[in-house]
Amino acid sequence: MLKMKLKLNIDELTDDFFEDTRLLGITATTKSYRFCWAINNMIGFNFRLNPDIEIHLQKKGRQYFFPVYQFTVPNTDLHHFIYHNQYDGEYLLPEFKHMDFLWLVKGDCFPDEDCYNLIQSVKKINGVQLIAELTNEHIKNKGNLVF
């Protein structure tokens, strides 16, 4: 009897996940639920905590949990996800320790102009100190964002 070993290609899975995405890094002096509440009220989105896609990491024998908020634009295939980048001293993307939140836009085309308008709107939220688009080349641990 032949025994076959199958190996999951994590790099390919990650590349597929990040196809048609944009990632923003945000520094803000607020809790994640308050930040999402402000976005919902000021920009008109409807972010909700999605415990089904919460990111679980195990490092140094400890469990870390990173909440993910989700909003899908009605009648489209455009999904927005906000990750809290820090939990109990550990970071989801350690290369961006200065970023409190990571905003992933995935799905339908999200043109440069829409991204620019979103950035300008988020800058107006009280407590937001910095928002910048993060390019895939600078993300070393992007597999941590895959749910």
Side-chain angles (χ1 to χ4, degrees):
M1 180 183 223
L2 280 173
K3 286 190 177 182
M4 226 167 98
K5 286 189 179 182
L6 298 176
K7 185 177 179 185
L8 183 62
N9 186 335
I10 300 298
D11 292 336
E12 191 174 303
L13 178 71
T14 301
D15 289 343
D16 286 346
F17 182 83
F18 279 93
E19 191 172 308
D20 297 326
T21 63
R22 295 186 91 148
L23 184 65
L24 305 174
I26 302 163
T27 302
T29 58
T30 186
K31 302 274 187 198
S32 56
Y33 67 90
R34 288 184 147 278
F35 178 66
C36 289
W37 179 84
I39 290 168
N40 291 345
N41 285 305
M42 294 184 70
I43 302 176
F45 285 17
N46 191 20
F47 276 100
R48 296 287 181 243
L49 181 63
N50 187 342
D52 295 334
I53 58 175
E54 180 178 69
I55 305 295
H56 299 256
L57 293 181
Q58 185 168 349
K59 292 183 177 183
K60 305 169 193 164
R62 291 192 58 206
Q63 292 281 339
Y64 297 94
F65 305 94
F66 299 89
V68 180
Y69 293 79
Q70 180 179 5
F71 167 66
T72 300
V73 178
N75 303 318
T76 71
D77 191 31
L78 187 61
H79 307 276
H80 295 260
F81 302 95
I82 295 179
Y83 302 76
H84 197 216
N85 191 36
Q86 194 266 348
Y87 178 84
D88 199 23
E90 198 59 51
Y91 294 90
L92 189 58
L93 293 183
E95 60 271 30
F96 295 109
K97 288 181 180 181
H98 59 286
M99 298 294 186
D100 298 305
F101 303 102
L102 305 165
W103 185 323
L104 181 77
V105 181
K106 181 173 178 49
D108 280 349
C109 181
F110 194 65
D112 290 342
E113 183 179 339
D114 291 351
C115 188
Y116 174 80
N117 291 336
L118 178 63
I119 289 170
Q120 295 309 309
S121 297
V122 171
K123 279 182 180 179
K124 295 176 185 173
I125 294 175
N126 193 21
V128 172
Q129 298 170 338
L130 171 72
I131 180 168
E133 186 165 8
L134 309 174
T135 59
N136 285 340
E137 301 82 40
H138 294 103
I139 305 170
K140 297 175 188 168
N141 296 289
K142 65 182 168 182
N144 290 352
L145 299 178
V146 177
F147 42 82

